[in-house]
Amino acid sequence: MILTVTLNTALDITYRVRSLRPHTSHRVTEVVERPGGKGLNVARVLAALGHEVTATGFTGGATGRTVQDALTAVPGLVDALVPVTGATRRTIAVVDERSGDTTQLNEPGPTVTAAEWSAFQEAYEDLVPSVSAVALCGSLPPGVPVGAYAALIRTAKAAGVPVLLDTSGEALRRGIAARPDIVKPNADELAELTGSHDPLRATQDARRRGARAVAASLGGDGLLAATPEGRWRATPPTRLHGNPTGAGDSAVAGLLSGLAEQLPWPDRLSRAVALAAATVLAPAAGEFDRATYEDLLERVTVTGEISAA
Protein backbone atom coordinates (compact mmCIF):
# COMPACT_ATOMS: atom_id res chain seq x y z
CA MET A 1 0.00 0.00 0.00
CA ILE A 2 1.24 3.49 -0.92
CA LEU A 3 0.04 6.59 0.93
CA THR A 4 -0.44 9.99 -0.70
CA VAL A 5 -1.05 13.15 1.33
CA THR A 6 -2.92 16.14 -0.14
CA LEU A 7 -3.42 18.73 2.54
CA ASN A 8 -5.03 21.16 0.08
CA THR A 9 -7.37 18.92 -1.91
CA ALA A 10 -9.48 20.47 -4.65
CA LEU A 11 -12.25 19.95 -7.12
CA ASP A 12 -10.62 20.61 -10.49
CA ILE A 13 -13.06 22.20 -12.94
CA THR A 14 -12.05 22.63 -16.59
CA TYR A 15 -13.96 24.90 -18.96
CA ARG A 16 -13.33 24.82 -22.69
CA VAL A 17 -14.10 27.93 -24.76
CA ARG A 18 -13.59 28.66 -28.46
CA SER A 19 -11.37 31.66 -27.73
CA LEU A 20 -10.62 33.31 -24.38
CA ARG A 21 -10.84 37.10 -24.55
CA PRO A 22 -10.75 39.55 -21.61
CA HIS A 23 -13.77 41.73 -20.81
CA THR A 24 -16.27 39.58 -22.75
CA SER A 25 -18.79 36.81 -22.09
CA HIS A 26 -17.93 33.27 -23.20
CA ARG A 27 -20.02 30.26 -24.13
CA VAL A 28 -18.48 27.17 -22.52
CA THR A 29 -18.33 24.20 -24.91
CA GLU A 30 -17.38 21.56 -22.32
CA VAL A 31 -17.14 21.23 -18.53
CA VAL A 32 -15.09 18.51 -16.80
CA GLU A 33 -14.87 17.99 -13.02
CA ARG A 34 -12.56 15.64 -11.15
CA PRO A 35 -10.82 15.29 -7.76
CA GLY A 36 -7.69 17.42 -7.65
CA GLY A 37 -4.72 18.47 -5.65
CA LYS A 38 -1.32 17.02 -6.46
CA GLY A 39 -1.51 14.03 -4.12
CA LEU A 40 -4.92 12.94 -5.39
CA ASN A 41 -3.62 13.18 -8.96
CA VAL A 42 -0.66 11.00 -7.97
CA ALA A 43 -3.00 8.51 -6.28
CA ARG A 44 -5.12 8.12 -9.41
CA VAL A 45 -2.06 7.39 -11.54
CA LEU A 46 -0.76 4.86 -9.02
CA ALA A 47 -4.14 3.12 -9.00
CA ALA A 48 -4.14 3.03 -12.81
CA LEU A 49 -0.72 1.34 -12.65
CA GLY A 50 -2.22 -1.37 -10.42
CA HIS A 51 -0.95 -0.21 -7.03
CA GLU A 52 -3.11 -0.19 -3.94
CA VAL A 53 -3.10 3.39 -2.70
CA THR A 54 -4.62 5.27 0.22
CA ALA A 55 -5.28 9.00 -0.16
CA THR A 56 -5.41 11.25 2.88
CA GLY A 57 -5.57 14.98 3.49
CA PHE A 58 -8.43 17.34 4.25
CA THR A 59 -11.97 17.49 2.87
CA GLY A 60 -14.89 19.75 3.71
CA GLY A 61 -18.25 21.10 2.61
CA ALA A 62 -20.29 20.24 -0.48
CA THR A 63 -17.21 20.48 -2.70
CA GLY A 64 -15.41 17.99 -0.49
CA ARG A 65 -18.32 15.57 -0.72
CA THR A 66 -18.19 15.82 -4.51
CA VAL A 67 -14.48 14.98 -4.41
CA GLN A 68 -15.05 11.97 -2.17
CA ASP A 69 -17.95 10.70 -4.27
CA ALA A 70 -15.69 10.76 -7.33
CA LEU A 71 -12.90 8.91 -5.50
CA THR A 72 -15.20 5.96 -4.85
CA ALA A 73 -15.18 5.27 -8.59
CA VAL A 74 -11.37 4.77 -8.69
CA PRO A 75 -10.49 1.06 -8.37
CA GLY A 76 -7.68 0.36 -5.91
CA LEU A 77 -7.95 3.75 -4.17
CA VAL A 78 -8.94 4.01 -0.50
CA ASP A 79 -10.36 7.34 0.73
CA ALA A 80 -8.88 8.29 4.12
CA LEU A 81 -9.52 12.04 3.91
CA VAL A 82 -10.03 13.86 7.21
CA PRO A 83 -13.02 16.23 7.56
CA VAL A 84 -12.70 19.96 8.28
CA THR A 85 -15.34 22.63 8.86
CA GLY A 86 -14.30 24.76 5.87
CA ALA A 87 -15.05 23.93 2.24
CA THR A 88 -12.62 22.16 -0.06
CA ARG A 89 -11.30 24.59 -2.66
CA ARG A 90 -12.00 24.65 -6.38
CA THR A 91 -9.51 25.19 -9.17
CA ILE A 92 -10.75 26.59 -12.46
CA ALA A 93 -8.90 25.93 -15.71
CA VAL A 94 -10.12 27.73 -18.83
CA VAL A 95 -8.83 26.15 -22.03
CA ASP A 96 -8.68 28.32 -25.14
CA GLU A 97 -9.43 25.87 -27.97
CA ARG A 98 -8.01 28.14 -30.64
CA SER A 99 -4.60 28.74 -29.05
CA GLY A 100 -4.40 25.66 -26.82
CA ASP A 101 -3.43 27.88 -23.86
CA THR A 102 -4.85 27.30 -20.38
CA THR A 103 -5.67 29.99 -17.81
CA GLN A 104 -5.66 28.71 -14.23
CA LEU A 105 -7.52 30.13 -11.20
CA ASN A 106 -6.71 28.48 -7.85
CA GLU A 107 -8.65 29.13 -4.65
CA PRO A 108 -6.59 29.19 -1.42
CA GLY A 109 -8.40 26.37 0.38
CA PRO A 110 -10.20 26.17 3.75
CA THR A 111 -8.69 27.55 6.94
CA VAL A 112 -7.64 24.56 9.05
CA THR A 113 -7.92 24.92 12.83
CA ALA A 114 -5.30 23.72 15.30
CA ALA A 115 -7.68 20.95 16.44
CA GLU A 116 -8.23 19.81 12.83
CA TRP A 117 -4.48 19.75 12.20
CA SER A 118 -3.97 17.64 15.34
CA ALA A 119 -6.71 15.24 14.22
CA PHE A 120 -5.00 14.84 10.86
CA GLN A 121 -1.63 14.13 12.47
CA GLU A 122 -3.20 11.39 14.58
CA ALA A 123 -4.85 9.83 11.51
CA TYR A 124 -1.56 10.03 9.59
CA GLU A 125 0.38 8.38 12.42
CA ASP A 126 -2.12 5.49 12.34
CA LEU A 127 -1.76 5.05 8.56
CA VAL A 128 2.01 5.28 8.14
CA PRO A 129 3.13 1.98 9.72
CA SER A 130 1.11 -0.08 7.22
CA VAL A 131 2.40 1.53 3.97
CA SER A 132 5.47 1.00 1.79
CA ALA A 133 6.01 4.65 0.81
CA VAL A 134 4.53 8.11 1.37
CA ALA A 135 4.14 11.10 -0.96
CA LEU A 136 3.60 14.56 0.53
CA CYS A 137 2.28 16.77 -2.24
CA GLY A 138 1.16 20.28 -3.00
CA SER A 139 0.44 23.53 -1.21
CA LEU A 140 -0.54 24.05 2.42
CA PRO A 141 -4.04 25.37 3.16
CA PRO A 142 -4.40 28.40 5.48
CA GLY A 143 -3.90 27.51 9.13
CA VAL A 144 -1.55 24.57 8.57
CA PRO A 145 1.93 25.29 10.00
CA VAL A 146 4.59 26.06 7.41
CA GLY A 147 6.70 23.26 8.91
CA ALA A 148 3.91 20.70 8.46
CA TYR A 149 5.71 18.62 5.86
CA ALA A 150 8.85 18.51 7.98
CA ALA A 151 6.80 17.07 10.85
CA LEU A 152 5.13 14.49 8.57
CA ILE A 153 8.50 13.46 7.12
CA ARG A 154 9.90 12.87 10.60
CA THR A 155 6.88 10.73 11.52
CA ALA A 156 7.32 8.54 8.43
CA LYS A 157 11.06 8.17 8.89
CA ALA A 158 10.57 7.18 12.54
CA ALA A 159 8.37 4.34 11.22
CA GLY A 160 11.00 3.34 8.64
CA VAL A 161 8.83 4.42 5.68
CA PRO A 162 10.47 6.26 2.73
CA VAL A 163 9.07 9.69 1.82
CA LEU A 164 8.80 11.72 -1.39
CA LEU A 165 8.19 15.47 -1.05
CA ASP A 166 6.68 17.56 -3.86
CA THR A 167 5.98 21.14 -2.79
CA SER A 168 7.46 24.61 -3.17
CA GLY A 169 8.53 27.77 -1.36
CA GLU A 170 8.99 27.81 2.39
CA ALA A 171 7.20 24.45 2.79
CA LEU A 172 9.90 22.89 0.59
CA ARG A 173 12.69 24.72 2.40
CA ARG A 174 11.47 23.49 5.79
CA GLY A 175 10.61 20.03 4.52
CA ILE A 176 13.94 19.31 2.86
CA ALA A 177 15.73 19.92 6.16
CA ALA A 178 13.83 16.92 7.59
CA ARG A 179 15.76 14.70 5.11
CA PRO A 180 13.10 13.21 2.80
CA ASP A 181 14.21 10.32 0.60
CA ILE A 182 13.25 12.16 -2.62
CA VAL A 183 12.26 15.71 -3.48
CA LYS A 184 10.74 16.45 -6.90
CA PRO A 185 10.89 20.19 -7.66
CA ASN A 186 10.54 21.72 -11.09
CA ALA A 187 13.29 23.97 -12.43
CA ASP A 188 11.73 27.18 -11.06
CA GLU A 189 11.12 25.69 -7.60
CA LEU A 190 14.67 24.36 -7.53
CA ALA A 191 16.09 27.76 -8.48
CA GLU A 192 14.00 29.46 -5.80
CA LEU A 193 15.24 26.97 -3.20
CA THR A 194 18.94 27.13 -4.08
CA GLY A 195 19.41 30.45 -5.87
CA SER A 196 21.05 28.62 -8.80
CA HIS A 197 19.61 28.42 -12.32
CA ASP A 198 22.09 25.68 -13.28
CA PRO A 199 20.00 22.51 -12.77
CA LEU A 200 23.00 20.25 -12.11
CA ARG A 201 24.48 22.57 -9.50
CA ALA A 202 21.04 23.19 -7.99
CA THR A 203 20.22 19.47 -7.58
CA GLN A 204 23.53 18.93 -5.80
CA ASP A 205 22.88 21.93 -3.57
CA ALA A 206 19.40 20.61 -2.72
CA ARG A 207 20.96 17.32 -1.62
CA ARG A 208 23.33 19.19 0.67
CA ARG A 209 20.29 20.87 2.24
CA GLY A 210 18.99 17.48 3.38
CA ALA A 211 17.32 15.52 0.57
CA ARG A 212 18.68 12.04 0.08
CA ALA A 213 17.87 12.31 -3.64
CA VAL A 214 16.62 15.10 -5.91
CA ALA A 215 14.70 14.46 -9.14
CA ALA A 216 14.22 17.81 -10.87
CA SER A 217 11.60 18.19 -13.58
CA LEU A 218 12.91 20.01 -16.66
CA GLY A 219 9.59 20.11 -18.49
CA GLY A 220 9.84 18.74 -22.02
CA ASP A 221 13.52 17.93 -21.41
CA GLY A 222 12.69 15.21 -18.87
CA LEU A 223 14.22 14.68 -15.42
CA LEU A 224 17.62 15.31 -13.86
CA ALA A 225 18.41 13.25 -10.75
CA ALA A 226 21.15 13.56 -8.16
CA THR A 227 21.17 10.53 -5.84
CA PRO A 228 23.53 8.66 -3.50
CA GLU A 229 24.01 6.08 -6.27
CA GLY A 230 24.87 8.57 -9.01
CA ARG A 231 23.55 11.28 -11.32
CA TRP A 232 21.24 10.63 -14.27
CA ARG A 233 19.35 12.47 -16.97
CA ALA A 234 16.19 10.91 -18.45
CA THR A 235 14.62 12.36 -21.60
CA PRO A 236 11.52 11.46 -23.65
CA PRO A 237 12.10 10.01 -27.14
CA THR A 238 10.82 13.09 -28.98
CA ARG A 239 9.72 16.66 -28.30
CA LEU A 240 6.09 16.34 -27.24
CA HIS A 241 3.16 18.58 -28.13
CA GLY A 242 0.04 18.40 -25.99
CA ASN A 243 -1.42 19.42 -22.63
CA PRO A 244 1.16 19.32 -19.82
CA THR A 245 -1.52 19.52 -17.08
CA GLY A 246 -0.85 16.76 -14.56
CA ALA A 247 2.39 15.61 -16.18
CA GLY A 248 4.43 16.50 -13.09
CA ASP A 249 2.07 14.51 -10.87
CA SER A 250 2.38 11.52 -13.20
CA ALA A 251 6.17 11.80 -12.89
CA VAL A 252 5.81 11.76 -9.09
CA ALA A 253 3.69 8.60 -9.35
CA GLY A 254 6.44 6.97 -11.42
CA LEU A 255 9.14 7.93 -8.92
CA LEU A 256 7.02 6.87 -5.95
CA SER A 257 6.09 3.49 -7.40
CA GLY A 258 9.76 2.88 -8.19
CA LEU A 259 10.67 3.86 -4.63
CA ALA A 260 8.08 1.47 -3.20
CA GLU A 261 9.32 -1.33 -5.49
CA GLN A 262 12.99 -0.51 -4.75
CA LEU A 263 13.80 -0.22 -8.46
CA PRO A 264 17.21 1.03 -9.62
CA TRP A 265 17.27 4.76 -10.26
CA PRO A 266 17.45 4.53 -14.08
CA ASP A 267 14.27 2.42 -14.06
CA ARG A 268 12.49 4.86 -11.75
CA LEU A 269 13.40 7.77 -14.01
CA SER A 270 12.34 5.93 -17.17
CA ARG A 271 8.96 5.18 -15.63
CA ALA A 272 8.50 8.77 -14.44
CA VAL A 273 9.38 10.33 -17.80
CA ALA A 274 7.24 7.86 -19.76
CA LEU A 275 4.22 8.53 -17.53
CA ALA A 276 4.70 12.29 -17.80
CA ALA A 277 5.03 12.07 -21.58
CA ALA A 278 1.95 9.85 -21.90
CA THR A 279 0.01 12.40 -19.83
CA VAL A 280 1.05 15.24 -22.14
CA LEU A 281 -0.15 13.25 -25.16
CA ALA A 282 -3.50 12.21 -23.65
CA PRO A 283 -6.62 13.97 -24.95
CA ALA A 284 -8.00 14.42 -21.41
CA ALA A 285 -5.92 16.59 -19.06
CA GLY A 286 -4.17 14.65 -16.31
CA GLU A 287 -4.94 11.20 -17.74
CA PHE A 288 -2.74 8.74 -19.65
CA ASP A 289 -3.17 5.86 -22.07
CA ARG A 290 -1.56 2.63 -20.84
CA ALA A 291 -0.44 1.50 -24.31
CA THR A 292 1.14 4.89 -25.03
CA TYR A 293 2.94 4.78 -21.69
CA GLU A 294 4.33 1.29 -22.31
CA ASP A 295 5.53 2.29 -25.79
CA LEU A 296 7.26 5.41 -24.44
CA LEU A 297 8.80 3.45 -21.57
CA GLU A 298 10.81 1.40 -24.06
CA ARG A 299 12.15 4.54 -25.75
CA VAL A 300 13.08 6.85 -22.86
CA THR A 301 16.80 7.66 -22.87
CA VAL A 302 18.67 7.55 -19.57
CA THR A 303 22.29 8.71 -19.39
CA GLY A 304 24.50 9.26 -16.39
CA GLU A 305 27.13 7.93 -14.12
CA ILE A 306 27.27 5.76 -11.01
CA SER A 307 29.13 7.27 -8.09
CA ALA A 308 29.43 7.18 -4.36
CA ALA A 309 28.41 10.84 -4.07
Side-chain angles (χ1 to χ4, degrees):
M1 180 73 75
I2 296 174
L3 178 66
T4 70
V5 175
T6 315
L7 296 178
N8 211 2
T9 55
L11 179 66
D12 289 343
I13 304 170
T14 301
Y15 295 141
R16 299 185 71 88
V17 299
R18 299 295 184 195
S19 177
L20 182 62
R21 294 172 294 160
H23 316 301
T24 64
S25 297
H26 297 78
R27 186 176 297 278
V28 176
T29 60
E30 182 185 28
V31 181
V32 176
E33 292 186 352
R34 66 172 192 165
K38 294 178 74 65
L40 292 187
N41 296 338
V42 171
R44 274 202 312 274
V45 175
L46 289 168
L49 290 173
H51 288 275
E52 293 184 345
V53 56
T54 295
T56 191
F58 292 116
T59 182
T63 306
R65 289 192 293 274
T66 299
V67 167
Q68 291 184 282
D69 288 345
L71 291 178
T72 62
V74 181
L77 192 153
V78 175
D79 171 7
L81 294 172
V82 176
V84 294
T85 303
T88 295
R89 67 187 177 129
R90 297 160 298 179
T91 68
I92 310 296
V94 183
V95 179
D96 185 321
E97 294 178 340
R98 185 165 64 179
S99 69
D101 293 336
T102 299
T103 299
Q104 191 81 19
L105 303 172
N106 296 329
E107 295 179 357
T111 297
V112 176
T113 67
E116 289 167 342
W117 172 237
S118 294
F120 173 80
Q121 288 179 291
E122 291 179 7
Y124 175 80
E125 290 170 3
D126 289 341
L127 288 167
V128 163
S130 62
V131 304
S132 58
V134 174
L136 307 174
C137 302
S139 62
L140 301 177
V144 172
V146 71
Y149 283 139
L152 298 181
I153 289 166
R154 288 192 288 268
T155 297
K157 293 183 75 67
V161 177
V163 186
L164 183 153
L165 176 64
D166 182 16
T167 188
S168 60
E170 190 61 23
L172 173 59
R173 192 178 306 277
R174 299 282 188 95
I176 202 171
R179 311 187 78 80
D181 294 87
I182 305 174
V183 295
K184 205 288 297 174
N186 61 34
D188 290 341
E189 293 162 349
L190 190 61
E192 181 185 4
L193 173 70
T194 65
S196 174
H197 291 274
D198 176 346
L200 180 58
R201 178 178 298 174
T203 54
Q204 294 168 330
D205 185 10
R207 282 200 66 210
R208 286 193 290 270
R209 291 168 184 261
R212 179 173 173 79
V214 180
S217 173
L218 305 179
D221 293 326
L223 288 171
L224 176 67
T227 81
E229 291 79 29
R231 296 186 295 271
W232 286 277
R233 176 81 170 265
T235 55
T238 59
R239 173 63 66 172
L240 303 171
H241 300 282
N243 187 346
T245 301
D249 300 331
S250 291
V252 169
L255 292 170
L256 188 63
S257 63
L259 176 65
E261 297 172 30
Q262 300 182 334
L263 296 180
W265 266 101
D267 292 343
R268 300 185 198 182
L269 295 169
S270 294
R271 181 180 291 183
V273 169
L275 281 168
T279 301
V280 170
L281 294 174
E287 306 295 336
F288 75 96
D289 175 72
R290 185 63 180 253
T292 300
Y293 156 65
E294 291 175 351
D295 173 65
L296 289 164
L297 184 61
E298 298 297 320
R299 300 189 290 125
V300 172
T301 300
V302 181
T303 59
E305 58 184 15
I306 299 174
S307 72

